[in-house]
Amino acid sequence: MGILNILNIQVSGGAPVWLWLLGAVLVLVLAWLWLIAPQLWHRPSFRVFRTFDYAHRGLHNLKNGVPENSSKAFRLAELAGFGMEFDLQLTKDKRVVIHHDSTILRSCGVDRAIAEMDYAELSGYRLFGTQETIPLFSQVLGALHGDTPLIIELKSYNDPAELCGQVMKELEGYKGLYCVESFDPRIVRWFRKNRPEVIRGQLMGRFKKGDDGMSRAGAFCARNLLTNWYARPHFEAYHLGTRDIPAMWAVKNLLGMQEVSWTIRSQEEYDKAKALGSLVIFEHILPAGTESKPRKSYLELLETEYVTVSRRAR
């Protein structure tokens, strides 16, 4: 019996097999879209966010004495007119600090966990051989003018609810524009449930078994956006080099999700991300300004920052 004849066989309901198969496929597609969907109602506007590029861990350049996630890197980013991205976690005495790794081995040469040190002890270490220390979140917020947006990543080294609550306490008086993001869907969900007015994003990349202790199934669900039903993020921050998957195409083109691209390190990557309509998180390059507002070189920015800080000190 030919395939067309088989498909035209009627089942008990009177409909041909092909119609039942089509219905089953449609149900599966709709279920998939529901699982990967972002927040669909009460969406925030990204209009202002799209007018900025975002310096990854601040506008750092270690060759010029400016380490990542340092107060100086954030001052330079704001001075240059960039937004900035940085990482938050808690010390042993529950102070919110800006640092990427869970330990200070890479940044300070000492294999100690930040969660096991009080801030008084942590502040005695220096970043990457410079005079810069690991900053408090509150110190950085107090020094910024709020002129450029912040992309605030919350790390999953601490209890999610405790970290989220502490971070929001420190953001209460901040007047500038900001959003939050995390690789941990529990953190993104906390904002969905407790602070739905805050713009939230799901960080993601092509995870595999063993990454951050993930199982094979967990890594599959993560990299294919199958945690979005739980967190319902407003945007997806996906690694540019691994973003070409069906789920990313669907959430952008069918469901209208905003994409954020990380981490951009060349002009070619920058141009690609911009063509995608992404917000760009960059490092090791200096995106050009405009004809009406040309960008200063890094050395010119350093000189301007030095003069500004010196004047404040006087």
Side-chain angles (χ1 to χ4, degrees):
M1 183 180 292
I3 186 65
L4 292 178
N5 290 329
I6 293 174
L7 291 176
N8 281 314
I9 291 175
Q10 291 187 336
V11 294
S12 58
V17 171
W18 70 265
L19 191 57
W20 283 93
L21 291 175
L22 181 62
V25 170
L26 181 61
V27 168
L28 289 174
V29 170
L30 290 175
W32 174 63
L33 290 174
W34 180 84
L35 287 170
I36 66 174
Q39 179 75 31
L40 294 176
W41 292 273
H42 307 296
R43 285 183 167 181
S45 171
F46 285 91
R47 182 181 60 82
V48 179
F49 281 98
R50 292 191 190 103
T51 62
F52 292 89
D53 294 322
Y54 297 82
H56 186 233
R57 306 178 194 172
L59 198 61
H60 61 92
N61 186 314
L62 197 54
K63 290 182 179 179
N64 286 291
V66 184
E68 66 181 53
N69 277 334
S70 64
S71 295
K72 190 168 188 175
F74 301 132
R75 289 196 301 270
L76 285 169
E78 187 176 57
L79 184 64
F82 293 121
M84 61 202 83
E85 179 270 356
F86 50 78
D87 314 277
L88 299 183
Q89 58 183 295
L90 295 175
T91 61
K92 184 178 180 181
D93 54 345
K94 312 306 179 186
R95 306 295 298 278
V96 183
V97 295
I98 301 180
H99 195 266
H100 180 270
D101 302 357
S102 62
T103 77
I104 58 172
L105 178 61
R106 182 176 64 91
S107 59
C108 304
V110 179
D111 192 8
R112 298 194 63 188
I114 289 175
E116 297 174 357
M117 286 187 285
D118 289 343
Y119 182 69
E121 182 179 6
L122 182 65
S123 63
Y125 293 98
R126 298 293 181 268
L127 290 168
F128 298 95
T130 69
Q131 292 304 304
E132 293 288 315
T133 60
I134 296 172
L136 286 167
F137 183 39
S138 58
Q139 291 174 338
V140 170
L141 288 180
L144 294 174
H145 297 91
D147 298 329
T148 64
L150 311 179
I151 299 179
I152 302 169
E153 180 183 347
L154 282 73
K155 309 302 288 187
S156 56
Y157 309 137
N158 315 106
D159 175 77
E162 187 172 42
L163 174 62
C164 293
Q166 289 294 107
V167 168
M168 286 313 304
K169 284 181 183 178
E170 300 199 4
L171 279 166
E172 289 300 337
Y174 185 68
K175 303 301 183 183
L177 188 64
Y178 68 89
C179 62
V180 299
E181 64 177 12
S182 182
F183 282 106
D184 192 335
R186 298 173 301 170
I187 289 175
V188 186
R189 182 177 173 83
W190 186 94
F191 283 93
R192 177 190 177 191
K193 290 295 186 181
N194 297 282
R195 298 301 296 266
E197 76 281 6
V198 175
I199 299 177
R200 59 186 183 271
Q202 181 66 59
L203 269 162
M204 202 50 65
R206 190 166 291 173
F207 288 114
K208 60 184 183 299
K209 179 183 178 181
D211 290 345
D212 294 331
M214 290 184 183
S215 64
R216 188 184 304 276
F220 176 85
C221 289
R223 68 176 179 264
N224 289 292
L225 315 189
L226 293 172
T227 64
N228 280 1
W229 68 270
Y230 180 73
R232 294 296 184 222
H234 295 117
F235 66 89
E236 198 82 29
Y238 213 100
H239 188 276
L240 181 66
T242 60
R243 67 167 300 281
D244 295 321
I245 58 173
M248 277 301 298
W249 182 91
V251 294
K252 282 199 67 175
N253 294 283
L254 299 180
L255 302 175
M257 176 181 257
Q258 175 64 49
E259 182 177 2
V260 176
S261 293
W262 61 274
T263 301
I264 306 307
R265 297 186 175 95
S266 71
Q267 188 63 44
E268 181 181 4
E269 291 178 339
Y270 180 84
D271 293 341
K272 177 181 178 181
K274 283 293 189 180
L276 289 168
S278 295
L279 305 186
V280 173
I281 299 176
F282 71 91
E283 67 178 5
H284 306 324
I285 62 173
L286 199 63
T290 62
E291 290 185 9
S292 60
K293 192 175 181 181
R295 189 86 64 199
K296 292 182 178 180
S297 70
Y298 200 87
L299 291 179
E300 289 173 326
L301 289 169
L302 278 173
E303 183 178 350
T304 303
E305 188 267 345
Y306 174 79
V307 171
T308 302
V309 171
S310 298
R311 286 175 177 171
R312 289 178 184 172
R314 291 198 295 267

